[in-house]
Amino acid sequence: MAEGNEGGGEATVQQVEDSERTEDYQKLIDYGLNEKVAVKLDEIYQQGKLKHEDLDERALDALKEFPVEGAVTVLKQFLESNLEHVSNKSAYLCGVMKTYRQRKQYNYDFKNKYGKLMKVHLHTATSTSGDSLTLNPGKGPNKEKLKAIIDKSGYTLDVTTGQRKYGGPPPNWEGPAPGPGCEVFCGKIPKDLYEDELIPLFENCGTVWDLRLMMDPLTGQNRGYAFVTFTTREAANEAVKQLDNYTIRDNATLKVNISIPNLRLFVGNIPKSKSQEEILEEFSKRTAE
């Protein structure tokens, strides 16, 4: 029979576990988080990837309302993520939770639609990754090349679950932000390509204000397009001249053109009784002719 802790005996399992917790662990319990979730979050604290003060109430409330097993899976994914260039870790964690929900809903919808086919899909995904709902962080950019680019330029790289933003504005910039005609759209980007390969190309065309590479949280890869803003229209035009149809890899050419502002306006909750003429008349009162 195991001896108690009295009289110099061995410490209990609970006492050992408590001694391994940070001082913020109890704050998580007091906030109402499930014990399993609090333990996993405390492990992240211990590894230095997150501080308790980094989390705002929005993130803590979301964790508290999240299904326990799902929250643990999300925190495990967060722990395994590269957070080197994540400036707002609380928002990033909320993004990971949102993506988890989306992927879970996608699998649920797919299962309802395809039935047995989904069972085969889930079995294959589970047998290869261990968790079909675990997000794929992707291979990522070459860290050494990216570090060299950032050190040389003095720019920042801000990573969220939806995009990777480099720059904006350049260091010691004085004056207004770039106006219309200074931004280019870059499409047909290979999904496993990152800013460590894109930035040098565009910097050859002029001074880059910022580069925003759109990311797909479900795959961990880019969405195939990015927006690059230059400090001048001349540099943007040069980028189109140099890089439109540029072969960046075998069988992969970029599509680069001046970005056109989105002038589309969505209007909802229009009464069904309103005719097209009445709607046009109403908008004409509020727009310049």
Side-chain angles (χ1 to χ4, degrees):
M1 181 173 65
E3 296 181 1
N5 193 39
E6 296 181 1
E10 296 181 0
T12 65
V13 173
Q14 185 62 50
Q15 287 174 321
V16 172
E17 290 180 349
D18 290 343
S19 67
E20 295 175 348
R21 305 285 175 241
T22 69
E23 59 182 12
D24 294 317
Y25 172 76
Q26 190 57 45
K27 296 178 183 178
L28 299 174
I29 297 297
D30 293 342
Y31 198 86
L33 265 66
N34 177 275
E35 184 178 357
K36 289 184 178 180
V37 178
V39 167
K40 179 57 68 173
L41 190 53
D42 197 61
E43 289 179 10
I44 298 176
Y45 290 168
Q46 292 179 41
Q47 295 196 24
K49 300 200 72 170
L50 184 70
K51 297 179 181 178
H52 184 69
E53 51 266 30
D54 291 336
L55 293 181
D56 55 26
E57 290 185 358
R58 176 170 170 253
L60 289 171
D61 288 342
L63 281 172
K64 185 166 63 173
E65 296 170 2
F66 222 71
V68 174
E69 296 305 320
V72 171
T73 299
V74 164
L75 290 173
K76 179 181 178 182
Q77 174 64 34
F78 183 86
L79 183 60
E80 296 172 351
S81 299
N82 182 358
L83 306 176
E84 182 180 358
H85 298 289
V86 176
S87 59
N88 190 334
K89 295 181 179 179
S90 187
Y92 187 88
L93 177 59
C94 288
V96 175
M97 284 188 276
K98 179 181 179 181
T99 303
Y100 178 90
R101 288 181 187 273
Q102 290 174 337
R103 185 157 188 166
K104 189 172 183 179
Q105 184 62 46
Y106 170 81
N107 284 347
Y108 176 79
D109 293 342
F110 192 89
K111 181 178 180 180
N112 284 344
K113 187 173 182 179
Y114 294 102
K116 293 182 180 180
L117 178 61
M118 185 57 186
K119 293 181 180 179
V120 175
H121 169 75
L122 285 176
H123 174 74
T124 303
T126 303
S127 62
T128 56
S129 67
D131 182 357
S132 62
L133 296 178
T134 297
L135 308 182
N136 178 8
K139 182 180 179 181
N142 183 301
K143 293 183 180 180
E144 293 183 0
K145 289 184 179 179
L146 184 57
K147 183 179 185 302
I149 291 173
I150 293 175
D151 289 345
K152 180 181 178 181
S153 66
Y155 282 46
T156 59
L157 177 63
D158 189 17
V159 178
T160 67
T161 54
Q163 74 172 11
R164 298 170 62 91
K165 181 182 177 182
Y166 167 81
N172 304 317
W173 175 264
E174 295 182 2
C182 293
E183 182 184 78
V184 300
F185 169 83
C186 179
K188 297 186 178 181
I189 300 173
K191 296 296 182 67
D192 60 344
L193 188 146
Y194 292 84
E195 57 276 315
D196 59 316
E197 296 183 61
L198 289 173
I199 292 170
L201 290 177
F202 285 99
E203 284 186 334
N204 284 335
C205 304
T207 302
V208 172
W209 172 274
D210 68 25
L211 183 150
R212 293 172 289 125
L213 181 62
M214 303 297 111
M215 302 299 295
D216 184 350
L218 294 179
T219 64
Q221 298 180 318
N222 74 65
R223 292 183 179 273
Y225 66 95
F227 296 94
V228 185
T229 303
F230 290 91
T231 55
T232 65
R233 292 186 180 183
E234 291 75 16
N237 289 330
E238 185 64 24
V240 174
K241 180 180 177 181
Q242 289 190 26
L243 301 177
D244 188 33
N245 293 320
Y246 176 83
T247 302
I248 193 165
R249 289 186 182 170
D250 292 341
N251 301 319
T253 57
L254 299 178
K255 176 61 181 174
V256 178
N257 57 261
I258 299 296
S259 181
I260 301 174
N262 185 2
L263 301 178
R264 181 181 298 175
L265 176 66
F266 172 80
V267 180
N269 296 325
I270 298 177
K272 295 182 178 180
S273 59
K274 291 287 184 181
S275 66
Q276 181 177 349
E277 290 74 17
E278 290 175 309
I279 296 173
L280 290 174
E281 180 182 359
E282 195 65 31
F283 273 99
S284 66
K285 297 176 184 178
R286 293 166 171 77
T287 57
E289 297 183 0

mmCIF file of all heavy atoms in Angstrom, residues 35 46 52 79 83 112 116-117 148 170 183 217 241-242 257:
data_model
loop_
_atom_site.group_PDB
_atom_site.id
_atom_site.type_symbol
_atom_site.label_atom_id
_atom_site.label_comp_id
_atom_site.label_asym_id
_atom_site.label_seq_id
_atom_site.Cartn_x
_atom_site.Cartn_y
_atom_site.Cartn_z
ATOM 1 N N GLU A 35 -10.738 21.457 -16.479
ATOM 2 C CA GLU A 35 -9.422 21.099 -15.956
ATOM 3 C C GLU A 35 -8.475 20.616 -17.064
ATOM 4 O O GLU A 35 -7.305 20.993 -17.098
ATOM 5 C CB GLU A 35 -9.556 20.011 -14.884
ATOM 6 C CG GLU A 35 -8.228 19.654 -14.234
ATOM 7 C CD GLU A 35 -8.389 18.606 -13.152
ATOM 8 O OE1 GLU A 35 -9.536 18.203 -12.865
ATOM 9 O OE2 GLU A 35 -7.353 18.184 -12.600
ATOM 10 N N GLN A 46 4.175 26.990 -19.705
ATOM 11 C CA GLN A 46 5.463 26.484 -19.217
ATOM 12 C C GLN A 46 6.523 26.474 -20.318
ATOM 13 O O GLN A 46 7.704 26.680 -20.040
ATOM 14 C CB GLN A 46 5.288 25.069 -18.652
ATOM 15 C CG GLN A 46 4.470 25.008 -17.373
ATOM 16 C CD GLN A 46 4.297 23.592 -16.857
ATOM 17 O OE1 GLN A 46 5.242 22.808 -16.887
ATOM 18 N NE2 GLN A 46 3.112 23.260 -16.389
ATOM 19 N N HIS A 52 -0.021 34.218 -19.832
ATOM 20 C CA HIS A 52 -1.428 34.375 -19.450
ATOM 21 C C HIS A 52 -1.943 35.759 -19.835
ATOM 22 O O HIS A 52 -3.086 35.905 -20.282
ATOM 23 C CB HIS A 52 -1.587 34.147 -17.949
ATOM 24 C CG HIS A 52 -3.020 34.194 -17.488
ATOM 25 N ND1 HIS A 52 -3.941 33.225 -17.832
ATOM 26 C CD2 HIS A 52 -3.698 35.107 -16.734
ATOM 27 C CE1 HIS A 52 -5.124 33.538 -17.302
ATOM 28 N NE2 HIS A 52 -4.995 34.666 -16.633
ATOM 29 N N LEU A 79 0.264 24.772 -29.812
ATOM 30 C CA LEU A 79 1.577 24.500 -29.235
ATOM 31 C C LEU A 79 2.584 24.101 -30.308
ATOM 32 O O LEU A 79 3.773 24.427 -30.217
ATOM 33 C CB LEU A 79 1.463 23.386 -28.182
ATOM 34 C CG LEU A 79 2.728 23.009 -27.411
ATOM 35 C CD1 LEU A 79 3.266 24.202 -26.644
ATOM 36 C CD2 LEU A 79 2.448 21.854 -26.455
ATOM 37 N N LEU A 83 5.092 30.324 -33.965
ATOM 38 C CA LEU A 83 4.515 31.605 -33.548
ATOM 39 C C LEU A 83 5.534 32.737 -33.582
ATOM 40 O O LEU A 83 5.309 33.800 -33.005
ATOM 41 C CB LEU A 83 3.938 31.470 -32.133
ATOM 42 C CG LEU A 83 2.933 30.335 -31.914
ATOM 43 C CD1 LEU A 83 2.529 30.258 -30.448
ATOM 44 C CD2 LEU A 83 1.704 30.536 -32.791
ATOM 45 N N ASN A 112 -22.413 13.611 -44.411
ATOM 46 C CA ASN A 112 -23.840 13.520 -44.700
ATOM 47 C C ASN A 112 -24.102 13.380 -46.193
ATOM 48 O O ASN A 112 -25.055 12.725 -46.614
ATOM 49 C CB ASN A 112 -24.564 14.767 -44.182
ATOM 50 C CG ASN A 112 -24.726 14.735 -42.680
ATOM 51 O OD1 ASN A 112 -24.578 13.689 -42.048
ATOM 52 N ND2 ASN A 112 -25.024 15.882 -42.086
ATOM 53 N N LYS A 116 -20.630 6.540 -46.837
ATOM 54 C CA LYS A 116 -19.549 5.587 -46.653
ATOM 55 C C LYS A 116 -18.210 6.111 -47.187
ATOM 56 O O LYS A 116 -17.157 5.777 -46.661
ATOM 57 C CB LYS A 116 -19.886 4.272 -47.354
ATOM 58 C CG LYS A 116 -21.049 3.540 -46.721
ATOM 59 C CD LYS A 116 -21.307 2.226 -47.431
ATOM 60 C CE LYS A 116 -22.467 1.481 -46.798
ATOM 61 N NZ LYS A 116 -22.727 0.183 -47.477
ATOM 62 N N LEU A 117 -18.267 6.923 -48.219
ATOM 63 C CA LEU A 117 -17.031 7.473 -48.773
ATOM 64 C C LEU A 117 -16.292 8.284 -47.722
ATOM 65 O O LEU A 117 -15.069 8.249 -47.633
ATOM 66 C CB LEU A 117 -17.346 8.342 -49.985
ATOM 67 C CG LEU A 117 -16.158 9.043 -50.664
ATOM 68 C CD1 LEU A 117 -15.181 7.993 -51.182
ATOM 69 C CD2 LEU A 117 -16.643 9.936 -51.794
ATOM 70 N N ALA A 148 17.081 36.580 -43.125
ATOM 71 C CA ALA A 148 18.040 37.464 -43.790
ATOM 72 C C ALA A 148 17.312 38.632 -44.458
ATOM 73 O O ALA A 148 17.784 39.778 -44.416
ATOM 74 C CB ALA A 148 18.845 36.673 -44.811
ATOM 75 N N PRO A 170 7.329 51.005 -44.619
ATOM 76 C CA PRO A 170 8.765 50.762 -44.481
ATOM 77 C C PRO A 170 9.316 51.504 -43.262
ATOM 78 O O PRO A 170 8.737 52.505 -42.826
ATOM 79 C CB PRO A 170 9.338 51.343 -45.790
ATOM 80 C CG PRO A 170 8.184 51.363 -46.733
ATOM 81 C CD PRO A 170 6.980 51.617 -45.902
ATOM 82 N N GLU A 183 -0.835 49.298 -55.930
ATOM 83 C CA GLU A 183 -0.967 47.899 -55.498
ATOM 84 C C GLU A 183 -1.137 46.988 -56.697
ATOM 85 O O GLU A 183 -1.865 47.313 -57.645
ATOM 86 C CB GLU A 183 -2.160 47.742 -54.554
ATOM 87 C CG GLU A 183 -2.331 46.327 -54.017
ATOM 88 C CD GLU A 183 -3.578 46.178 -53.167
ATOM 89 O OE1 GLU A 183 -4.689 46.081 -53.751
ATOM 90 O OE2 GLU A 183 -3.445 46.155 -51.936
ATOM 91 N N PRO A 217 -6.220 28.479 -43.736
ATOM 92 C CA PRO A 217 -5.959 27.833 -42.446
ATOM 93 C C PRO A 217 -6.199 26.328 -42.453
ATOM 94 O O PRO A 217 -5.591 25.602 -41.668
ATOM 95 C CB PRO A 217 -6.945 28.538 -41.490
ATOM 96 C CG PRO A 217 -7.301 29.820 -42.174
ATOM 97 C CD PRO A 217 -7.260 29.508 -43.633
ATOM 98 N N LYS A 241 5.229 44.694 -65.591
ATOM 99 C CA LYS A 241 6.075 44.516 -66.765
ATOM 100 C C LYS A 241 7.035 43.347 -66.599
ATOM 101 O O LYS A 241 7.222 42.536 -67.516
ATOM 102 C CB LYS A 241 6.857 45.806 -67.027
ATOM 103 C CG LYS A 241 7.790 45.752 -68.225
ATOM 104 C CD LYS A 241 8.523 47.083 -68.392
ATOM 105 C CE LYS A 241 9.510 47.022 -69.549
ATOM 106 N NZ LYS A 241 10.247 48.303 -69.705
ATOM 107 N N GLN A 242 7.657 43.240 -65.413
ATOM 108 C CA GLN A 242 8.669 42.209 -65.186
ATOM 109 C C GLN A 242 8.096 40.845 -64.814
ATOM 110 O O GLN A 242 8.646 39.805 -65.214
ATOM 111 C CB GLN A 242 9.641 42.646 -64.085
ATOM 112 C CG GLN A 242 10.588 43.760 -64.439
ATOM 113 C CD GLN A 242 11.663 43.956 -63.383
ATOM 114 O OE1 GLN A 242 12.029 43.026 -62.642
ATOM 115 N NE2 GLN A 242 12.177 45.181 -63.283
ATOM 116 N N ASN A 257 -1.042 41.883 -62.147
ATOM 117 C CA ASN A 257 -1.696 43.045 -62.751
ATOM 118 C C ASN A 257 -2.003 44.082 -61.678
ATOM 119 O O ASN A 257 -2.014 43.775 -60.482
ATOM 120 C CB ASN A 257 -2.976 42.635 -63.485
ATOM 121 C CG ASN A 257 -3.964 41.915 -62.594
ATOM 122 O OD1 ASN A 257 -4.022 40.682 -62.611
ATOM 123 N ND2 ASN A 257 -4.740 42.641 -61.797
#
